[in-house]
Structure formats: structure tokens, C-alpha cells
Short mmCIF file of all heavy atoms in Angstrom, two decimals:
data_model
loop_
_atom_site.label_atom_id
_atom_site.label_comp_id
_atom_site.label_asym_id
_atom_site.label_seq_id
_atom_site.Cartn_x
_atom_site.Cartn_y
_atom_site.Cartn_z
N THR A 232 -161.04 110.05 230.87
CA THR A 232 -162.06 111.04 230.52
C THR A 232 -163.33 110.82 231.33
O THR A 232 -163.93 111.77 231.85
CB THR A 232 -162.39 110.96 229.02
OG1 THR A 232 -161.21 111.27 228.26
CG2 THR A 232 -163.51 111.93 228.64
N ALA A 233 -163.76 109.56 231.45
CA ALA A 233 -164.95 109.26 232.24
C ALA A 233 -164.78 109.68 233.69
O ALA A 233 -165.71 110.21 234.32
CB ALA A 233 -165.26 107.76 232.15
N LEU A 234 -163.60 109.47 234.24
CA LEU A 234 -163.35 109.83 235.64
C LEU A 234 -163.38 111.33 235.84
O LEU A 234 -163.82 111.81 236.90
CB LEU A 234 -162.02 109.23 236.10
CG LEU A 234 -161.97 107.70 236.14
CD1 LEU A 234 -160.57 107.23 236.51
CD2 LEU A 234 -163.00 107.15 237.13
N GLU A 235 -162.93 112.08 234.84
CA GLU A 235 -163.02 113.54 234.93
C GLU A 235 -164.48 113.98 235.07
O GLU A 235 -164.82 114.85 235.88
CB GLU A 235 -162.38 114.19 233.70
CG GLU A 235 -160.87 114.02 233.64
CD GLU A 235 -160.29 114.47 232.31
OE1 GLU A 235 -161.07 114.95 231.45
OE2 GLU A 235 -159.06 114.34 232.12
N TYR A 236 -165.36 113.36 234.28
CA TYR A 236 -166.79 113.66 234.40
C TYR A 236 -167.33 113.18 235.74
O TYR A 236 -168.13 113.87 236.39
CB TYR A 236 -167.56 112.99 233.26
CG TYR A 236 -167.63 113.80 232.00
CD1 TYR A 236 -166.57 113.83 231.09
CD2 TYR A 236 -168.77 114.55 231.70
CE1 TYR A 236 -166.64 114.58 229.93
CE2 TYR A 236 -168.86 115.29 230.53
CZ TYR A 236 -167.78 115.31 229.66
OH TYR A 236 -167.86 116.06 228.51
N ALA A 237 -166.93 111.99 236.15
CA ALA A 237 -167.46 111.42 237.38
C ALA A 237 -167.16 112.30 238.58
O ALA A 237 -168.00 112.48 239.48
CB ALA A 237 -166.88 110.02 237.59
N ILE A 238 -165.97 112.86 238.61
CA ILE A 238 -165.59 113.72 239.73
C ILE A 238 -166.48 114.96 239.78
O ILE A 238 -166.98 115.35 240.85
CB ILE A 238 -164.10 114.10 239.62
CG1 ILE A 238 -163.24 112.86 239.89
CG2 ILE A 238 -163.75 115.23 240.59
CD1 ILE A 238 -161.78 113.05 239.54
N VAL A 239 -166.71 115.58 238.64
CA VAL A 239 -167.55 116.79 238.60
C VAL A 239 -168.99 116.46 238.97
O VAL A 239 -169.65 117.22 239.69
CB VAL A 239 -167.49 117.44 237.20
CG1 VAL A 239 -168.49 118.61 237.10
CG2 VAL A 239 -166.08 117.92 236.90
N LEU A 240 -169.49 115.32 238.50
CA LEU A 240 -170.90 114.96 238.69
C LEU A 240 -171.17 114.25 240.02
O LEU A 240 -172.33 113.99 240.34
CB LEU A 240 -171.37 114.07 237.54
CG LEU A 240 -171.23 114.65 236.13
CD1 LEU A 240 -171.75 113.66 235.10
CD2 LEU A 240 -171.96 115.98 236.01
N GLY A 241 -170.12 113.95 240.77
CA GLY A 241 -170.32 113.20 242.00
C GLY A 241 -170.78 111.78 241.76
O GLY A 241 -171.44 111.16 242.59
N ASN A 242 -170.42 111.23 240.61
CA ASN A 242 -170.85 109.91 240.17
C ASN A 242 -169.86 108.86 240.67
O ASN A 242 -168.66 108.95 240.40
CB ASN A 242 -170.91 109.90 238.64
CG ASN A 242 -171.39 108.58 238.08
OD1 ASN A 242 -172.58 108.37 237.94
ND2 ASN A 242 -170.47 107.69 237.75
N ARG A 243 -170.35 107.84 241.37
CA ARG A 243 -169.47 106.86 242.00
C ARG A 243 -169.33 105.56 241.21
O ARG A 243 -168.54 104.70 241.61
CB ARG A 243 -169.98 106.53 243.40
CG ARG A 243 -170.06 107.73 244.34
CD ARG A 243 -168.68 108.33 244.61
NE ARG A 243 -167.80 107.35 245.18
CZ ARG A 243 -167.73 107.05 246.49
NH1 ARG A 243 -168.54 107.66 247.34
NH2 ARG A 243 -166.88 106.16 246.94
N ARG A 244 -170.08 105.39 240.11
CA ARG A 244 -170.01 104.13 239.37
C ARG A 244 -169.97 104.41 237.87
O ARG A 244 -170.78 105.19 237.37
CB ARG A 244 -171.21 103.24 239.70
CG ARG A 244 -171.19 102.70 241.13
CD ARG A 244 -172.42 101.86 241.44
NE ARG A 244 -172.30 101.28 242.77
CZ ARG A 244 -172.66 101.89 243.89
NH1 ARG A 244 -173.19 103.12 243.82
NH2 ARG A 244 -172.53 101.30 245.05
N VAL A 245 -169.06 103.75 237.18
CA VAL A 245 -168.89 103.89 235.73
C VAL A 245 -168.91 102.50 235.11
O VAL A 245 -168.20 101.59 235.56
CB VAL A 245 -167.57 104.62 235.40
CG1 VAL A 245 -167.28 104.54 233.90
CG2 VAL A 245 -167.63 106.08 235.85
N HIS A 246 -169.71 102.35 234.06
CA HIS A 246 -169.77 101.08 233.33
C HIS A 246 -168.60 101.01 232.35
O HIS A 246 -168.45 101.85 231.47
CB HIS A 246 -171.10 100.97 232.59
CG HIS A 246 -171.20 99.77 231.71
ND1 HIS A 246 -172.01 99.73 230.59
CD2 HIS A 246 -170.61 98.56 231.77
CE1 HIS A 246 -171.91 98.55 230.02
NE2 HIS A 246 -171.06 97.81 230.71
N PHE A 247 -167.79 99.99 232.50
CA PHE A 247 -166.61 99.75 231.67
C PHE A 247 -166.98 98.73 230.61
O PHE A 247 -167.07 97.54 230.88
CB PHE A 247 -165.47 99.24 232.57
CG PHE A 247 -164.17 98.97 231.88
CD1 PHE A 247 -163.30 100.01 231.56
CD2 PHE A 247 -163.78 97.67 231.59
CE1 PHE A 247 -162.08 99.75 230.95
CE2 PHE A 247 -162.56 97.41 230.98
CZ PHE A 247 -161.71 98.46 230.66
N MET A 248 -167.20 99.19 229.37
CA MET A 248 -167.68 98.31 228.33
C MET A 248 -166.56 97.41 227.80
O MET A 248 -165.43 97.85 227.60
CB MET A 248 -168.30 99.12 227.19
CG MET A 248 -169.52 99.92 227.62
SD MET A 248 -170.50 100.53 226.23
CE MET A 248 -171.31 99.01 225.70
N ALA A 249 -166.90 96.16 227.55
CA ALA A 249 -165.90 95.15 227.19
C ALA A 249 -165.51 95.19 225.72
O ALA A 249 -164.34 95.02 225.37
CB ALA A 249 -166.42 93.75 227.54
N GLY A 250 -166.49 95.38 224.86
CA GLY A 250 -166.22 95.38 223.43
C GLY A 250 -166.71 94.11 222.74
O GLY A 250 -167.00 93.09 223.38
N ILE A 251 -166.81 94.19 221.43
CA ILE A 251 -167.20 93.07 220.59
C ILE A 251 -165.94 92.34 220.13
O ILE A 251 -165.00 92.96 219.62
CB ILE A 251 -168.02 93.57 219.39
CG1 ILE A 251 -169.35 94.16 219.90
CG2 ILE A 251 -168.27 92.45 218.38
CD1 ILE A 251 -170.15 94.88 218.87
N VAL A 252 -165.91 91.05 220.32
CA VAL A 252 -164.72 90.26 219.99
C VAL A 252 -164.57 90.19 218.47
O VAL A 252 -165.49 89.75 217.77
CB VAL A 252 -164.83 88.84 220.57
CG1 VAL A 252 -163.58 88.03 220.23
CG2 VAL A 252 -165.04 88.89 222.08
N PRO A 253 -163.44 90.63 217.94
CA PRO A 253 -163.25 90.58 216.49
C PRO A 253 -163.26 89.15 215.96
O PRO A 253 -162.80 88.22 216.64
CB PRO A 253 -161.87 91.22 216.29
CG PRO A 253 -161.59 91.97 217.55
CD PRO A 253 -162.29 91.23 218.64
N VAL A 254 -163.77 88.99 214.77
CA VAL A 254 -163.74 87.67 214.13
C VAL A 254 -162.28 87.22 213.99
O VAL A 254 -161.43 87.99 213.54
CB VAL A 254 -164.41 87.73 212.74
CG1 VAL A 254 -164.26 86.39 212.02
CG2 VAL A 254 -165.88 88.09 212.88
N GLY A 255 -162.02 86.01 214.43
CA GLY A 255 -160.66 85.47 214.33
C GLY A 255 -159.82 85.65 215.56
O GLY A 255 -158.75 85.03 215.67
N LEU A 256 -160.24 86.49 216.50
CA LEU A 256 -159.46 86.67 217.73
C LEU A 256 -159.75 85.51 218.66
O LEU A 256 -160.90 85.21 218.97
CB LEU A 256 -159.82 87.99 218.41
CG LEU A 256 -159.07 88.29 219.72
CD1 LEU A 256 -157.57 88.43 219.46
CD2 LEU A 256 -159.62 89.54 220.39
N ASN A 257 -158.71 84.87 219.13
CA ASN A 257 -158.84 83.75 220.07
C ASN A 257 -159.55 84.21 221.34
O ASN A 257 -159.17 85.23 221.92
CB ASN A 257 -157.44 83.22 220.40
CG ASN A 257 -157.49 81.96 221.24
OD1 ASN A 257 -158.00 81.97 222.35
ND2 ASN A 257 -156.94 80.89 220.71
N PRO A 258 -160.58 83.51 221.80
CA PRO A 258 -161.29 83.92 223.02
C PRO A 258 -160.38 84.05 224.23
O PRO A 258 -160.61 84.90 225.09
CB PRO A 258 -162.33 82.81 223.21
CG PRO A 258 -162.54 82.24 221.85
CD PRO A 258 -161.21 82.34 221.16
N VAL A 259 -159.34 83.21 224.31
CA VAL A 259 -158.41 83.30 225.43
C VAL A 259 -157.64 84.62 225.38
O VAL A 259 -157.45 85.29 226.40
CB VAL A 259 -157.43 82.10 225.43
CG1 VAL A 259 -156.36 82.27 226.50
CG2 VAL A 259 -158.19 80.80 225.64
N ALA A 260 -157.25 85.02 224.17
CA ALA A 260 -156.55 86.29 224.01
C ALA A 260 -157.47 87.45 224.35
O ALA A 260 -157.05 88.42 225.01
CB ALA A 260 -156.02 86.42 222.58
N ALA A 261 -158.72 87.38 223.93
CA ALA A 261 -159.69 88.44 224.26
C ALA A 261 -159.84 88.57 225.77
O ALA A 261 -159.90 89.68 226.32
CB ALA A 261 -161.03 88.16 223.59
N HIS A 262 -159.92 87.42 226.43
CA HIS A 262 -160.04 87.41 227.89
C HIS A 262 -158.82 88.06 228.55
O HIS A 262 -158.95 88.86 229.49
CB HIS A 262 -160.20 85.97 228.38
CG HIS A 262 -160.20 85.81 229.87
ND1 HIS A 262 -161.33 85.97 230.63
CD2 HIS A 262 -159.21 85.51 230.74
CE1 HIS A 262 -161.04 85.77 231.90
NE2 HIS A 262 -159.76 85.49 231.99
N GLU A 263 -157.65 87.76 228.05
CA GLU A 263 -156.42 88.32 228.62
C GLU A 263 -156.37 89.84 228.42
O GLU A 263 -156.03 90.58 229.34
CB GLU A 263 -155.20 87.65 228.00
CG GLU A 263 -155.01 86.20 228.43
CD GLU A 263 -153.85 85.53 227.72
OE1 GLU A 263 -153.27 86.15 226.80
OE2 GLU A 263 -153.54 84.36 228.07
N HIS A 264 -156.69 90.30 227.21
CA HIS A 264 -156.71 91.74 226.96
C HIS A 264 -157.71 92.43 227.88
O HIS A 264 -157.41 93.48 228.47
CB HIS A 264 -157.10 92.02 225.50
CG HIS A 264 -156.09 91.59 224.49
ND1 HIS A 264 -154.76 91.96 224.55
CD2 HIS A 264 -156.22 90.83 223.37
CE1 HIS A 264 -154.11 91.43 223.52
NE2 HIS A 264 -154.96 90.74 222.79
N TYR A 265 -158.87 91.83 227.99
CA TYR A 265 -159.94 92.43 228.80
C TYR A 265 -159.52 92.54 230.27
O TYR A 265 -159.67 93.60 230.88
CB TYR A 265 -161.21 91.59 228.66
CG TYR A 265 -162.35 92.11 229.49
CD1 TYR A 265 -162.99 93.30 229.18
CD2 TYR A 265 -162.80 91.39 230.61
CE1 TYR A 265 -164.04 93.77 229.96
CE2 TYR A 265 -163.85 91.85 231.38
CZ TYR A 265 -164.46 93.04 231.05
OH TYR A 265 -165.49 93.51 231.81
N CYS A 266 -159.02 91.46 230.81
CA CYS A 266 -158.66 91.47 232.24
C CYS A 266 -157.51 92.43 232.51
O CYS A 266 -157.52 93.12 233.55
CB CYS A 266 -158.30 90.06 232.69
SG CYS A 266 -159.74 88.95 232.81
N GLN A 267 -156.56 92.52 231.61
CA GLN A 267 -155.45 93.46 231.80
C GLN A 267 -155.97 94.90 231.79
O GLN A 267 -155.61 95.71 232.66
CB GLN A 267 -154.41 93.27 230.69
CG GLN A 267 -153.59 92.00 230.82
CD GLN A 267 -152.68 91.78 229.62
OE1 GLN A 267 -152.61 92.62 228.71
NE2 GLN A 267 -151.99 90.65 229.61
N ASN A 268 -156.80 95.22 230.83
CA ASN A 268 -157.32 96.59 230.75
C ASN A 268 -158.25 96.91 231.91
O ASN A 268 -158.22 98.03 232.45
CB ASN A 268 -158.05 96.78 229.42
CG ASN A 268 -157.09 96.93 228.25
OD1 ASN A 268 -156.02 97.50 228.40
ND2 ASN A 268 -157.47 96.40 227.10
N LEU A 269 -159.07 95.95 232.30
CA LEU A 269 -159.98 96.18 233.42
C LEU A 269 -159.22 96.41 234.72
O LEU A 269 -159.55 97.32 235.49
CB LEU A 269 -160.93 94.99 233.55
CG LEU A 269 -161.91 95.02 234.73
CD1 LEU A 269 -162.78 96.27 234.70
CD2 LEU A 269 -162.78 93.75 234.72
N SER A 270 -158.21 95.62 234.97
CA SER A 270 -157.46 95.78 236.22
C SER A 270 -156.71 97.11 236.25
O SER A 270 -156.68 97.80 237.28
CB SER A 270 -156.49 94.61 236.41
OG SER A 270 -155.54 94.55 235.36
N ARG A 271 -156.15 97.52 235.12
CA ARG A 271 -155.45 98.81 235.08
C ARG A 271 -156.43 99.97 235.20
O ARG A 271 -156.14 100.97 235.86
CB ARG A 271 -154.63 98.91 233.78
CG ARG A 271 -153.41 97.99 233.81
CD ARG A 271 -152.76 97.81 232.45
NE ARG A 271 -151.60 96.94 232.54
CZ ARG A 271 -151.03 96.35 231.52
NH1 ARG A 271 -151.51 96.55 230.29
NH2 ARG A 271 -149.98 95.57 231.68
N ALA A 272 -157.59 99.83 234.56
CA ALA A 272 -158.60 100.87 234.67
C ALA A 272 -159.12 100.99 236.10
O ALA A 272 -159.40 102.09 236.59
CB ALA A 272 -159.75 100.57 233.72
N ALA A 273 -159.24 99.85 236.78
CA ALA A 273 -159.74 99.87 238.16
C ALA A 273 -158.78 100.60 239.09
O ALA A 273 -159.22 101.26 240.04
CB ALA A 273 -159.96 98.44 238.65
N VAL A 274 -157.49 100.49 238.84
CA VAL A 274 -156.52 101.22 239.65
C VAL A 274 -156.71 102.72 239.46
O VAL A 274 -156.68 103.49 240.44
CB VAL A 274 -155.08 100.79 239.28
CG1 VAL A 274 -154.06 101.68 239.97
CG2 VAL A 274 -154.85 99.33 239.68
N LEU A 275 -156.90 103.16 238.22
CA LEU A 275 -157.16 104.58 237.97
C LEU A 275 -158.46 105.02 238.66
O LEU A 275 -158.51 106.08 239.29
CB LEU A 275 -157.29 104.82 236.46
CG LEU A 275 -156.05 104.60 235.61
CD1 LEU A 275 -156.40 104.78 234.13
CD2 LEU A 275 -154.93 105.54 236.01
N ALA A 276 -159.50 104.19 238.54
CA ALA A 276 -160.79 104.55 239.12
C ALA A 276 -160.73 104.63 240.64
O ALA A 276 -161.37 105.49 241.26
CB ALA A 276 -161.85 103.55 238.69
#
């Protein structure tokens, strides 16, 4: 959705928000989820 807007607006940079780590979620797991989503999002971008 953000990329659809970016294309129309000629916007070349989008901030990809990481999120708040849920209580009880292992920090290593949070890091893995984040890096997986960021890398896949970067391919789309």
C-alpha cells in the first residue's frame, strides 16, 4: 500500500516501522521476524 502511494507521489523513501516487542517474546525471535520481513519488504520496494 505504501509503495502505491510512493509511486503516485514520486516519493523515493519509506520508513519501515519495526514494532513494539510483545512482552514474553524472545528478543532473538523478534530479531528474526524483523529481518525476514524487512528483507522481503525491501525486495518489493
Side-chain angles (χ1 to χ4, degrees):
T232 297
L234 295 175
E235 291 171 2
Y236 274 81
I238 290 169
V239 174
L240 302 180
N242 182 87
R243 301 296 302 276
R244 291 178 175 86
V245 169
H246 174 207
F247 181 79
M248 298 195 74
I251 294 170
V252 180
V254 175
L256 180 63
N257 186 299
V259 174
H262 175 84
E263 290 176 354
H264 292 307
Y265 178 70
C266 288
Q267 288 174 4
N268 285 325
L269 177 57
S270 61
R271 288 167 179 163
V274 171
L275 295 175

